């Protein structure tokens, strides 16, 4: 026997091993589809992995099966979508060309059904600029919904009832608490009461939109308790001196109220570790962009609790 024989023997195909490998590969692809269906993996994550490793389970997945594993995508919608993206029915995800990948990315950006709408809380000390950052998000990122809180405080000049807040009487606020209308509510700065209406927030989530709540720390804690899936963002000032400067500069509060708010601010600053992330508000546009990046990342991330919302 020649010395090369053992080598040849190793290269002879082993049908049983090939069969086992094929079964294993099918199982791995089925696991990817299951994870997509369950919302444990996002469509974006699976596609990007497929393009990194075209011979892995994601890459070997047929595009039709990939789309078909996404929420609300029946065979007819899949067929129409693939035709509109110019992808042949037999194509595998890893085999898509550059242009087709860009089209899939564009579709995911616009309508990815595996995105989960999230409840996002933006909290932080008084005068840090939560309202300004939330307003910037409202103006520049209209896909993110905002909730209009009810409050017992009087409107400031320029504030419109139903737009900035629903300005209600103490008796109305009592009734709303009694009727369970609030998702959370709190007395802020030991003075007025503020509350987030449950029904409009739930309606927005049900429609598939994330909702940004700009509320105080007590409210943030209540949201964490009833919506474990909520993302809590802490907006921090660049420094304590800057926070004081902003509060004095605003000029809308009396001396006594300012002192009270600074006391609250100290307690609020200490709560930072309870939050999922901190955003330093040095520049409003930059801070708003960071808020939106956190929202998009949360929408694309798998559910920790298996539900979009609770309460
Ligand atoms: P302002 O009176 O300056 O508009 O708001 C005072 C504080 O109330 C801010 O810290 C704001 O985040 C908070 N706030 C506004 N709406 C709500 C709400 O619905 N719930 C809670 N817990 N706090 C709120």
């Amino acid at each position: 026997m020649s010395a090369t024989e053992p080598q040849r023997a190793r290269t002879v195909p082993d049908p049983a091993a090939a069969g086992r490998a094929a079964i294993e590969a099918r199982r791995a692809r089925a696991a990817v589809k299951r994870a997509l269906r369950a919302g444990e993996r996002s469509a974006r994550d699976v596609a990007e992995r497929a393009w990194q490793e075209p011979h892995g389970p994601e890459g070997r997945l047929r595009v039709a099966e990939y789309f078909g594993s996404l929420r609300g995508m029946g065979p007819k919608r899949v067929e129409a979508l693939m035709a509109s993206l110019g992808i042949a029915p037999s194509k595998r995800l890893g085999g898509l060309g550059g242009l087709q990948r860009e089209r899939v990315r564009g579709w995911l950006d616009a309508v990815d059904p595996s995105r989960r709408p999230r409840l996002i809380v933006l909290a932080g000390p008084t005068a840090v600029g939560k309202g300004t950052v939330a307003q910037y998000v409202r103006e520049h990122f209209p896909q993110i919904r905002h909730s209009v809180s009810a409050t017992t405080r009087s409107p400031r000049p320029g504030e419109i009832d139903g737009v900035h807040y629903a300005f209600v009487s103490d008796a109305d606020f009592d009734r709303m608490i009694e009727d369970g209308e609030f998702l959370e509510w709190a007395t802020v700065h030991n003075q007025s009461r503020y509350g987030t209406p449950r029904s409009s927030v739930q309606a927005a989530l049900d429609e598939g939109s994330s909702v940004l709540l700009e509320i105080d720390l007590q409210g943030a804690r209540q949201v964490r308790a009833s919506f474990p899936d909520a993302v809590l963002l802490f907006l921090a000032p660049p420094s304590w001196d800057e926070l004081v400067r902003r509060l004095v500069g605003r000029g809308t509060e009396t001396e006594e109220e300012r002192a009270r708010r600074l006391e609250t601010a100290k307690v609020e600053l200490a709560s930072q570790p309870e939050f999922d992330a901190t955003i330093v508000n040095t520049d409003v546009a930059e801070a708003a962009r960071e808020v939106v990046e956190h929202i998009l990342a949360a929408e694309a991330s798998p559910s920790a609790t298996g539900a979009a919302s609770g309460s």
Side-chain angles (χ1 to χ4, degrees), residues 150-234:
T151 182
T152 57
R153 86 152 161 75
S154 319
R156 295 195 185 113
E159 285 185 333
I160 302 163
D161 188 25
V163 175
H164 298 93
Y165 285 105
F167 295 99
V168 301
S169 66
D170 266 311
D172 279 342
F173 205 93
D174 285 340
R175 185 196 53 75
M176 292 166 91
I177 295 173
E178 214 159 283
D179 292 349
E181 286 184 26
F182 291 125
L183 189 150
E184 62 75 35
W185 70 270
T187 303
V188 181
H189 306 307
N190 289 325
Q191 211 176 27
S192 308
R193 289 182 292 173
Y194 298 79
T196 303
R198 183 187 297 279
S199 60
S200 59
V201 168
Q202 193 60 59
L205 290 171
D206 290 345
E207 282 165 26
S209 299
S210 289
V211 184
L212 183 65
L213 304 181
E214 183 241 307
I215 58 177
D216 88 318
L217 172 64
Q218 307 164 73
R221 287 180 175 141
Q222 290 174 47
V223 171
R224 165 121 297 164
S226 54
F227 280 72
D229 211 23
V231 178
L232 269 55
L233 302 177
F234 189 84

Side-chain angles (χ1 to χ4, degrees), residues 1 3 36 69 74 83 94 100 109 111 130 144 146 154 156 171 177 180 223 231 234 241 247 273 288 297 305:
M1 282 285 160
L36 276 172
S69 303
Q100 291 171 325
D109 282 344
V111 287
K130 282 174 301 201
I144 293 155
H146 299 252
S154 319
R156 295 195 185 113
I177 295 173
V223 171
V231 178
F234 189 84
D241 286 350
L247 188 55
T305 59

Side-chain angles (χ1 to χ4, degrees), residues 8 16 18 46 56 64 74 78 92-93 104 125 142 164 176 208 214 230 255 308:
R8 245 198 358 249
V46 168
V78 171
R92 292 182 193 270
L93 207 46
V104 172
H164 298 93
M176 292 166 91
E214 183 241 307
E255 189 58 45

Side-chain angles (χ1 to χ4, degrees), residues 285-309:
E286 186 50 40
R289 255 194 304 281
E290 277 188 50
V291 168
V292 172
E293 273 166 24
H294 278 287
I295 297 175
L296 295 180
E299 286 179 344
S301 78
S303 168
T305 59
S309 60

Side-chain angles (χ1 to χ4, degrees), residues 46-61:
V46 168
E48 296 296 341
R49 177 61 69 89
W51 298 330
Q52 274 166 13
E53 292 176 31
H55 299 292
E58 294 87 355
R60 299 292 298 157
L61 198 61

